[in-house]
Amino acid sequence: MTEKHVGAFGVIPNAILYDKRLKNGEKILYTFISSLCNKNGFCFASNAYLSEIVGVTKNTIKIYLKKLEDLNYINRSFKNGEDNDELERKIYLVYDELFN
C-alpha cells in the first residue's frame, strides 16, 4: 500500500449501496469521492484523475457524475480559476437524500 492510501477511507451509505438505479461503477465513484471529501468537505479531483482511479474513461466519469447529481447524491459547483482560463470544480456529498 502506498503512503497516499494510508488512513484513507470511503463510506458507501446503504441508500447508495441498495439503489438499483446506480451501476456498480457509480457506487465506486461515490465511495472514492467520499474518501476525497474527508479532508476538506469537498472533492476537487479532475475527471482524468477519477477515470484513472475508477478504471473507466473520462466520458464515463462525466456520465457517472451527472447521474449521481441527478439523483441528488452529490452537488457540483463551478467557478473560474485565477487565470480565468480554467474552471474550478468542487464536488460535495449531499447528505439530505441519504438520511431521509
Side-chain angles (χ1 to χ4, degrees), residues 49-71:
Y49 179 71
L50 294 172
S51 72
E52 182 181 319
I53 295 298
V54 178
V56 297
T57 67
K58 290 185 284 185
N59 191 54
T60 300
I61 290 295
K62 287 170 60 173
I63 293 166
Y64 285 1
L65 289 171
K66 176 80 169 107
K67 177 90 163 275
L68 289 168
E69 189 170 45
D70 287 348
L71 294 173

Side-chain angles (χ1 to χ4, degrees), residues 1-40:
M1 183 180 313
T2 63
E3 188 174 315
K4 71 178 181 178
H5 295 106
V6 174
F9 66 92
V11 175
I12 183 162
N14 283 341
I16 290 181
L17 184 62
Y18 295 114
D19 191 333
K20 295 190 184 301
R21 299 170 294 178
L22 293 174
K23 297 176 182 176
N24 288 338
E26 293 161 338
K27 295 174 185 183
I28 291 168
L29 177 61
Y30 178 91
T31 305
F32 187 68
I33 290 169
S34 96
S35 75
L36 294 174
C37 287
N38 285 334
K39 184 175 181 181
N40 298 315

Side-chain angles (χ1 to χ4, degrees), residues 83-95:
D83 60 7
N84 284 334
D85 289 338
E86 294 182 12
L87 191 63
E88 291 181 8
R89 172 186 72 189
K90 292 181 181 177
I91 304 171
Y92 299 89
L93 303 179
V94 177
Y95 295 104

